[in-house]
Amino acid sequence: MERVISYDLAYANTDDYREFYEVLKLLNGKKLNELTYVINTTLTQNEIIEKIKTVMNSADIIYCISVDSKTHELFYQRIVR
């Protein structure tokens, strides 16, 4: 299932986020713009969030955007460490 990950990282140095970008790569992420990726994975929303939590800084702002499988409505969830 495809989802969108949108973020604003607390630190400008991308070397600080090597692990974060590796997770996006593992989730088959495709870059839409500087702060947004589309991911395509069979993992659940909670599994995705847990993977991202382990590699984010507590000051980062990261959202997972998806469509509810039952209602087909768009929703978003902020990922908090």
Side-chain angles (χ1 to χ4, degrees):
M1 172 181 276
E2 290 185 326
R3 293 180 171 88
V4 175
I5 303 296
S6 186
Y7 56 89
D8 185 11
L9 303 178
Y11 302 103
N13 188 347
T14 56
D15 289 340
D16 294 339
Y17 292 100
R18 188 179 78 256
E19 292 176 329
F20 173 71
Y21 291 114
E22 284 297 318
V23 167
L24 290 175
K25 186 176 177 180
L26 289 172
L27 297 171
N28 300 308
K30 300 217 181 335
K31 190 173 187 176
L32 291 180
N33 64 38
E34 187 177 351
L35 304 173
T36 307
Y37 276 74
V38 171
I39 60 170
N40 190 358
T41 180
T42 58
L43 296 178
T44 67
Q45 182 91 2
N46 288 335
E47 291 170 326
I48 293 166
I49 289 169
E50 289 306 312
K51 282 192 172 296
I52 291 173
K53 275 184 180 182
T54 64
V55 296
M56 68 182 283
N57 182 291
S58 61
D60 297 334
I61 299 171
I62 303 175
Y63 283 90
C64 185
I65 304 163
S66 190
V67 173
D68 185 276
S69 61
K70 294 177 184 164
T71 65
H72 304 291
E73 291 185 20
L74 185 68
F75 72 94
Y76 59 92
Q77 180 176 354
R78 183 170 181 183
I79 301 173
V80 180
R81 186 169 187 179

